[in-house]
Amino acid sequence: AARVPRARVLETLEDASAPADQRLGAALALAADDEQGVVRARVAELARSCADPDLALALEELAEDRLRAETAERLGEAT
């Protein structure tokens, strides 16, 4: 399987025009290898500035390590 470069995943997370489910997927991928909590801190910042309330909630939950399946599924239904 081909790996997506970390920089591209980060670009997706930061891209406000990217689909919400892709941004959440990028956040999940980056958070999986976030030993220092740097990604989670950035995800929390993005949650506070996000215009999409469903994505904001999902990012907030992810940043706090409590992402609920129903929150993530709501994003998938919206796209």
Side-chain angles (χ1 to χ4, degrees):
R3 291 181 54 122
V4 177
R6 183 178 174 86
R8 179 66 190 115
V9 178
L10 188 56
E11 286 173 15
T12 300
L13 173 62
E14 298 281 346
D15 183 357
S17 67
D21 60 336
Q22 288 182 14
R23 292 184 73 194
L24 179 60
L28 284 164
L30 293 166
D33 188 31
D34 185 32
E35 294 175 14
Q36 258 77 95
V38 174
V39 171
R40 290 187 192 278
R42 180 62 186 139
V43 167
E45 289 175 20
L46 289 170
R48 288 189 293 273
S49 65
C50 188
D52 177 338
D54 290 334
L55 179 58
L57 177 61
L59 293 175
E60 178 183 326
E61 288 181 6
L62 177 60
E64 296 172 358
D65 201 25
R66 59 176 183 86
L67 178 61
R68 297 174 299 142
E70 49 277 6
T71 304
E73 288 168 3
R74 194 172 315 131
L75 290 181
E77 294 167 0
T79 57

